Amino acid sequence: MKKKILLFLLFNLLFGFTVSSKNLKDLVKLHDVNFEISSEKLISSDTIKKHKKKSRISKTKAVLSPPSTTAGSSCGDGVTLMQVNVYAFGANGSETIEWFTSQTSVAPIYTGTVYSPSISSTRTYYVRSRSGSDISTRVPVVASIYIAPSGVTLTASPANNTTSPLCLGTSVTFTASGGADLFEFSVDGVVMQGMSTSRVFTANALTDGQTVKVRTRYAVTMDGSITETSWGTGALEDNFLSAPLSSNASTGYVNSLKISALEDKVVLGITGKVLNNRSILLFLDTKTGGFNISNYGDEANSDPLVRAFNIFNNNPSTFDSYFQADYCLVITTDAAETNYYANVIELKTGASVKTYLGSAATGIPSSVMGVNKNNSGINDYSLGFEVEVLKSLIGYTTGDIKFFALTMNDKEDGSQSVTNSFLSPERSSNLDYGIGAIDYNLKDPNPVVVSSAALTPCYSEANIIMNFVSIPTTASLTQPTCALQTGTIVITTQPGVEYSLNGSVYQDSNAFSGLVPGNYTLYVRNKLDNTCVLSSVTPAIVNPIPNPPVAPTTASVTQPTCGTPSGSILITTQTGVEYSLNGTTYQASNSFT
């Protein structure tokens, strides 16, 4: 009897467990996102990052291709909410698109292909595709806000308007008021004075109707302090969720990336620190094509070699699937940390091509690089490196760009490694990634997508349309006729002038009638400045009075016949006349049938 009771209890226990398991499975179907995160918390981690069970399980769930994305950017004041649109589309078109506030947040903040947050400062959002229980990796997509300069006004001296036009050749000085740090002046869209701190522009070869425009933007001071208004309202990505730094990363880490746009260049602002043979590698995906795996050619220029770049490439790590690197900006220093060096390397098969940008030291910036090595730690988003690069040098023409930043220990003592400092960050491990091949599709850091609009400055603009007395031209000329044996000249109208045909007697009307045949020079004179007189280049010609035609005579008449019941008349030919049989309708032909 006891055995039967025990068997009965065991049966109920097993049955209850089965029901609970089924309920749990149903619960997962309804709340798969929460279960995914919660279940990960129950799994212990290995000591080595690349075998970390938590990361491996979370990443192996990402079986879908990541969505294709388009970032967004807008100009604002940093206070008023601005709508910025960011886009994501599934690879198959049928996936659900989910947006998140961070790499780790559980619940989506929005579901759909177009997310339009209203923000006052730059935010990075994370988007993934979902199909049933399958998910993709999260792609960081930036919605950036840059600061538009305050309104700028433009004045001219001497002043001009439609009632007070200037004389051709007058030197005019233009002055911009308000605006930002730098000013550019153009005439009819052609830049005449490039961006500079000068608010004044002088021209003496302007003509009537031309548009003089000033546009103004904020500037970057190349000092390694990445705090100017030109950088916008926040980082395009930061290390906010970063794990504690490894020992190798403690003197070589990256905290954030910012971009300040110029007309034909960009300034890349990287906050962080590089000491004692440490390097920052910023890979850029700027155009179609590129490399998804680090098996491009080493940089072979020995002046000196960019060691960190070659060390990384010699172990063919795989970038995330949506990232195909085209260029790499490398910032390095030697053991003494006296000088810092910047190189842009174009990734090529065979041998990659290095372009040396320049060097700088803390407190001693160059024209293309600013350095401040006194960054105080992973929460310091102000100090670091500023590097100016031609857009053409990094292959940029149009469209969004992507970046992937990492730091390296590149000492020659055998301790070379990719450290654990990335953008977007390594979230949980304080161990280096090493120099072995890594598939970043299975790791925390993901390349970040930045809008093409972020590579165009925010401007304020103002313009003046010029009013000059122009050389007079003929609007219309009526020639003498037999009936009215004088001509009429109408000069093209100009505001603020009076008109003349002899340069002595002027009138307000631009029409002159009763003119006998002859050549007439046209004159205009500024009403408020009698010394401003302009004359036509060629005269207007009033033709001689035409000779009247002689009385027409019949050259021949063809009478009707039985076969041709109508006749014809041929009038004697005269030069320069038309012919008619009724005095109303005229024709060029002298034959009437």
Side-chain angles (χ1 to χ4, degrees), residues 300-331:
N301 191 329
S302 58
D303 56 350
L305 291 173
V306 182
R307 189 167 60 245
F309 175 83
N310 290 343
I311 292 171
F312 179 80
N313 183 41
N314 291 339
N315 296 275
S317 294
T318 304
F319 294 115
D320 281 72
S321 58
Y322 61 92
F323 185 79
Q324 291 183 299
D326 302 297
Y327 296 85
C328 183
L329 171 69
V330 186
I331 298 173

Side-chain angles (χ1 to χ4, degrees), residues 45-52 242-250 407 417-422 426-435 438 440 443-445:
S45 299
D46 289 297
T47 57
I48 300 176
K49 166 61 184 174
K50 65 180 180 180
H51 297 302
K52 189 164 177 287
S242 175
L245 295 177
S246 68
S247 58
N248 277 323
S250 62
T407 61
S417 64
V418 175
T419 69
N420 74 329
S421 182
F422 293 84
E426 161 56 43
R427 300 196 304 259
S428 53
S429 174
N430 64 351
L431 301 178
D432 290 338
Y433 275 44
I435 57 172
I438 297 289
Y440 286 97
K443 299 299 179 181
D444 290 344

Side-chain angles (χ1 to χ4, degrees), residues 216-556:
T216 177
R217 63 170 172 82
Y218 289 105
V220 168
T221 302
M222 304 292 280
D223 58 1
S225 178
I226 308 172
T227 57
E228 294 90 350
T229 305
S230 178
W231 296 110
T233 58
L236 303 177
E237 178 62 306
D238 58 41
N239 67 343
F240 181 73
L241 293 175
S242 175
L245 295 177
S246 68
S247 58
N248 277 323
S250 62
T251 53
Y253 53 84
V254 56
N255 291 344
S256 69
L257 178 81
K258 301 177 184 179
I259 292 177
S260 177
L262 288 67
E263 286 67 45
D264 59 345
K265 305 173 185 176
V266 292
V267 184
L268 300 170
I270 306 171
T271 62
K273 178 172 284 188
V274 172
L275 301 178
N276 189 17
N277 289 311
R278 283 1 184 230
S279 301
I280 293 175
L281 277 63
L282 176 65
F283 286 94
L284 298 167
D285 182 352
T286 58
K287 58 185 180 181
T288 303
F291 291 83
N292 186 248
I293 299 177
S294 60
N295 62 352
Y296 37 80
D298 281 359
E299 179 273 309
N301 191 329
S302 58
D303 56 350
L305 291 173
V306 182
R307 189 167 60 245
F309 175 83
N310 290 343
I311 292 171
F312 179 80
N313 183 41
N314 291 339
N315 296 275
S317 294
T318 304
F319 294 115
D320 281 72
S321 58
Y322 61 92
F323 185 79
Q324 291 183 299
D326 302 297
Y327 296 85
C328 183
L329 171 69
V330 186
I331 298 173
T332 60
T333 187
D334 51 27
E337 307 146 12
T338 304
N339 292 305
Y340 290 80
Y341 307 91
N343 293 275
V344 166
I345 302 173
E346 182 179 5
L347 310 187
K348 286 184 171 292
T349 301
S352 294
V353 179
K354 179 178 74 175
T355 300
Y356 175 65
L357 297 180
S359 64
T362 296
I364 311 174
S366 67
S367 60
V368 297
M369 189 176 184
V371 172
N372 192 315
K373 69 177 183 179
N374 298 317
N375 190 284
S376 61
I378 60 173
N379 296 318
D380 184 346
Y381 298 105
S382 298
L383 301 181
F385 308 91
E386 297 161 319
V387 181
E388 183 179 281
V389 185
L390 281 167
K391 293 177 184 176
S392 59
L393 184 61
I394 56 174
Y396 179 77
T397 55
T398 187
D400 289 357
I401 66 170
K402 305 179 185 75
F403 67 81
F404 184 73
L406 58 92
T407 61
M408 286 198 67
N409 163 31
D410 55 359
K411 298 173 70 174
E412 295 179 317
D413 60 2
S415 63
Q416 297 96 337
S417 64
V418 175
T419 69
N420 74 329
S421 182
F422 293 84
L423 288 179
S424 52
E426 161 56 43
R427 300 196 304 259
S428 53
S429 174
N430 64 351
L431 301 178
D432 290 338
Y433 275 44
I435 57 172
I438 297 289
D439 184 351
Y440 286 97
N441 287 282
L442 306 178
K443 299 299 179 181
D444 290 344
N446 299 114
V448 181
V449 184
V450 179
S451 171
S452 59
L455 275 70
T456 300
C458 291
Y459 296 106
S460 285
E461 300 179 349
N463 65 74
I464 293 177
I465 298 176
M466 301 307 298
N467 294 277
F468 282 89
V469 178
S470 301
I471 294 173
T473 59
T474 302
S476 65
L477 197 162
T478 304
Q479 299 292 355
T481 65
C482 293
L484 181 60
Q485 298 182 352
T486 59
T488 298
I489 296 174
V490 178
I491 301 175
T492 302
T493 301
Q494 296 186 49
V497 302
E498 48 192 2
Y499 309 87
S500 175
L501 293 182
N502 59 16
S504 299
V505 179
Y506 285 85
Q507 62 184 44
D508 288 334
S509 173
N510 63 326
F512 297 83
S513 58
L515 303 176
V516 299
N519 295 348
Y520 293 87
T521 299
L522 316 181
Y523 295 87
V524 290
R525 183 174 69 182
N526 191 324
K527 289 183 178 181
L528 301 180
D529 180 6
N530 290 341
T531 65
C532 180
V533 176
L534 295 176
S535 59
S536 59
V537 177
T538 58
I541 300 174
V542 176
N543 295 333
I545 300 169
N547 294 322
V550 299
T553 59
T554 302
S556 65

Side-chain angles (χ1 to χ4, degrees), residues 86-89 96-99 110-115 127-128:
V86 287
Y87 305 83
F89 301 92
T96 299
I97 303 298
E98 298 176 330
W99 298 85
Y110 181 76
T111 299
T113 57
V114 184
Y115 179 41
V127 62
R128 74 180 182 190

